[in-house]
Amino acid sequence: MKKNTEKIESLTRILEQIDFLLKQQDESENILNFTDSEKYKLIKNLASKESLKTLKNLLNNLHPSDVADILEALPLERRLAVWELVKSENDGDILVEVSDVVRQTLIADMDNTELLAAAEQLDTDEIADIANDLPGDVLNDLLESLDVQNRERLESALSYPNESVGALMDFDIATIRDDISLEVVLNYLRKIKKLPDHTDKLFVVDRFGSILGVLPLERILVGESQSIVKDVMATDAVTFKPKDTAHEASNAFERYDLVTAPVVDETGKLLGRLTVDAVMDYIRDETENEKFSMVGLRDEDMFSSIWKSVQNRWAWLAINLVTALIASRVIGIFEGSIEKVVALAALMPIVAGIGGNSGNQTTTLIVRALALGQVTFSNIRLLMFKEVGVALLNGILWGSVLGMFAFLLYGNIQLGYVMTGAMILNLILSAIMGVMIPLVLNRMGKDPAVGSSVLITAMTDSGGFFIFLGLATLVLL
């Protein structure tokens, strides 16, 4: 956590430095455009070149993922100005690291030659990550430039759904046979000099390329040099198939503390591997998407145009408008009650607000349980019972507190009873809706996280107003 905070602070300082250098550049260009003094122009021109050189050096000394973070934090005009200064040999790595929406703005600023050069720097699995954003003619040229093996691998990766293991699969693998000694394996490793990134094990295959087991590097280093691979390899390795979901794979990586795992076809033939960095990228993207989805948004560039942001947000705002109108009509039904007991207008937002917060807590819990595969048909009733029980106890506790508050504030014991009763009933409603909304969305084949926060708030607002004002009408009038 400390390291993460330090990285954020470091990037913030770099962003401030970049902003300062870009401002210097803008000022220099403005002065060059409007001054008549040749000597002054020369001085400012030199200063401008010096600031550009400083900015280039700063960017070229950063890791591609840090440059990606900086690009995402800059407005479009400045983002493209910085993008022009990045070393061309880093273009491909940065395109892989940036978010999809920012990648699209960078690609739109590049011509086909630049795009092809950037993509050719990447491994096959990395090309697959950005392929959907590349223009069709660039992708075709790229396929033609690859050798037969890499072309087949890329076409294979592109054939799998985005949320599958096949789409995340890495083709850079190290394999050995099972009939050689550890000494031969060690000599082989010394000969090739470099292993694929994140290698913690070698994959043992037969002469047909089918997986037989895995050999952890630790066993190579500490085992007897004359030991045969088949005697010391692990035969119970976790394997995946290309059509397995990335979500299932990420759970397995967490459960079994995996760094890499083999990906095999239906016959057991080794196709590639899944690595922890690909899984982490998937989890990060899923987490970000879930944050957006909970409030009914798609991924959005922070500095996208006003029109694009409006297009991204209008649908769920329209739903919000409809639910707000429903809530207003619920209030309108009880206008007479509110006129007679003005205190109701001040107290009813409390009931609705706490109900909404409680419902969102339940929804988050259920969405998480669905994501982890912990919700089954047999335990839904138990989940509902548990959440209603929690809501009941919280309702009694905090309803009593609010009831006492209403009594002390307005001197009306019956109003206190109404507050207590409304709080209990609305928290029970929020618990039921908090369980049911994600389950119904999931049953319909929809992402249970999408818009669930919006829907639960709408239900508890309308329901809370109806319960509170209805009880008040029955008890107080």
Side-chain angles (χ1 to χ4, degrees):
M1 189 68 177
K2 183 179 178 183
K3 286 184 178 179
N4 189 47
T5 303
E6 289 174 353
K7 180 184 176 183
I8 292 172
E9 291 174 351
S10 175
L11 286 176
T12 301
R13 288 194 297 271
I14 292 170
L15 269 171
E16 291 172 351
Q17 191 174 354
I18 288 173
D19 188 59
F20 173 74
L21 291 170
L22 288 172
K23 283 180 180 177
Q24 274 191 332
Q25 180 70 14
D26 292 342
E27 289 171 2
S28 297
E29 289 178 358
N30 290 334
I31 290 171
L32 288 170
N33 288 334
F34 293 106
T35 185
D36 292 327
S37 169
E38 291 298 325
K39 183 178 180 181
Y40 198 60
K41 278 187 177 183
L42 179 61
I43 292 171
K44 296 309 292 183
N45 191 33
L46 290 172
S48 172
K49 288 182 178 179
E50 188 61 32
S51 64
L52 272 179
K53 182 180 177 182
T54 303
L55 189 52
K56 278 186 176 182
N57 290 336
L58 176 63
L59 293 168
N60 292 333
N61 288 327
L62 293 175
H63 190 277
S65 64
D66 292 331
V67 177
D69 287 340
I70 288 168
L71 290 170
E72 290 178 1
L74 290 172
L76 182 59
E77 186 177 343
R78 295 207 162 188
R79 177 187 300 158
L80 297 180
V82 169
W83 181 234
E84 286 291 327
L85 300 175
V86 174
K87 273 185 180 179
S88 58
E89 60 262 32
N90 291 334
D91 286 357
D93 292 327
I94 295 169
L95 286 174
V96 171
E97 294 291 340
V98 293
S99 65
D100 293 346
V101 287
V102 172
R103 184 186 303 124
Q104 290 163 11
T105 65
L106 300 179
I107 286 177
D109 191 56
M110 302 171 72
D111 60 38
N112 287 0
T113 304
E114 290 175 318
L115 279 173
L116 187 59
E120 287 176 340
Q121 303 163 5
L122 302 174
D123 294 332
T124 308
D125 57 304
E126 293 174 325
I127 296 174
D129 290 339
I130 67 170
N132 289 335
D133 295 320
L134 295 175
D137 51 349
V138 172
L139 186 57
N140 289 333
D141 290 342
L142 184 59
L143 285 168
E144 290 178 6
S145 70
L146 297 174
D147 58 47
V148 175
Q149 184 184 48
N150 283 321
R151 187 185 307 125
E152 289 176 351
R153 286 175 172 178
L154 180 56
E155 289 172 344
S156 173
L158 295 176
S159 68
Y160 297 112
N162 289 334
E163 304 297 311
S164 68
V165 167
L168 303 180
M169 182 169 54
D170 181 2
F171 298 99
D172 193 7
I173 52 179
T175 62
I176 55 173
R177 298 285 291 274
D178 67 339
D179 55 355
I180 60 176
S181 68
L182 295 186
E183 183 179 11
V184 173
V185 174
L186 197 54
N187 289 334
Y188 163 70
L189 296 180
R190 288 173 180 154
K191 185 178 179 180
I192 63 175
K193 294 182 180 179
K194 184 181 179 181
L195 286 170
D197 292 339
H198 305 289
T199 296
D200 67 324
K201 59 177 73 77
L202 304 180
F203 301 132
V204 185
V205 297
D206 62 19
R207 63 191 181 92
F208 301 108
S210 296
I211 191 81
L212 299 175
V214 296
L215 183 63
L217 295 184
E218 180 185 11
R219 297 189 187 183
I220 301 173
L221 296 174
V222 302
E224 293 291 336
S225 61
Q226 299 306 313
S227 299
I228 304 301
V229 168
K230 65 181 177 182
D231 296 329
V232 294
M233 70 181 185
T235 57
D236 58 348
V238 177
T239 62
F240 299 101
K241 291 183 172 59
K243 292 184 179 179
D244 291 343
T245 66
H247 176 72
E248 293 170 345
S250 66
N251 288 339
F253 264 69
E254 180 184 10
R255 185 179 305 116
Y256 302 117
D257 296 325
L258 300 176
V259 176
T260 61
V263 181
V264 299
D265 65 13
E266 297 297 332
T267 65
K269 184 177 180 180
L270 182 64
L271 300 176
R273 63 176 185 149
L274 192 59
T275 61
V276 66
D277 62 323
V279 172
M280 288 298 295
D281 287 343
Y282 167 78
I283 292 172
R284 180 195 64 191
D285 291 342
E286 281 298 290
T287 302
E288 291 177 354
N289 290 338
E290 187 171 314
K291 289 176 182 176
F292 281 110
S293 296
M294 288 291 285
V295 292
L297 280 178
R298 297 185 299 274
D299 192 10
E300 182 178 310
D301 181 1
M302 187 165 62
F303 295 105
S304 61
S305 69
I306 294 174
W307 176 239
K308 283 188 177 180
S309 293
V310 169
Q311 287 178 306
N312 193 20
R313 304 182 194 187
W314 75 268
W316 284 95
L317 289 178
I319 294 174
N320 264 340
L321 176 61
V322 172
T323 57
L325 289 172
I326 293 172
S328 71
R329 293 320 307 144
V330 170
I331 295 171
I333 295 172
F334 298 99
E335 281 181 356
S337 302
I338 295 173
E339 288 176 358
K340 293 177 182 177
V341 185
V342 179
L344 298 179
L347 294 174
M348 64 182 182
I350 299 175
V351 176
I354 293 179
N357 287 335
S358 178
N360 279 321
Q361 289 174 344
T362 302
T363 298
T364 302
L365 182 70
I366 300 301
V367 168
R368 177 182 178 276
L370 285 168
L372 295 175
Q374 296 172 343
V375 178
T376 63
F377 182 77
S378 60
N379 64 19
I380 290 175
R381 184 177 297 180
L382 183 61
L383 271 174
M384 182 71 77
F385 179 79
K386 178 249 184 180
E387 289 303 314
V388 169
V390 171
L392 179 62
L393 290 178
N394 274 328
I396 293 171
L397 172 62
W398 298 110
S400 300
V401 171
L402 284 173
M404 183 63 68
F405 172 79
F407 168 66
L408 294 175
L409 194 62
Y410 297 103
N412 187 333
I413 189 64
Q414 289 181 313
L415 183 59
Y417 291 151
V418 168
M419 279 295 291
T420 302
M423 183 61 68
I424 293 171
L425 293 175
N426 197 33
L427 285 183
I428 291 174
L429 173 66
S430 70
I432 294 171
M433 291 296 104
V435 173
M436 292 305 299
I437 287 174
L439 291 179
V440 169
L441 289 173
N442 188 60
R443 189 66 181 268
M444 293 169 61
K446 306 292 184 182
D447 184 349
V450 175
S452 54
S453 177
V454 176
L455 294 175
I456 191 66
T457 301
M459 295 296 296
T460 53
D461 279 358
S462 300
F465 292 150
F466 184 81
I467 290 169
F468 178 62
L469 296 174
L471 283 175
T473 303
L474 291 173
V475 175
L476 300 176
L477 302 176

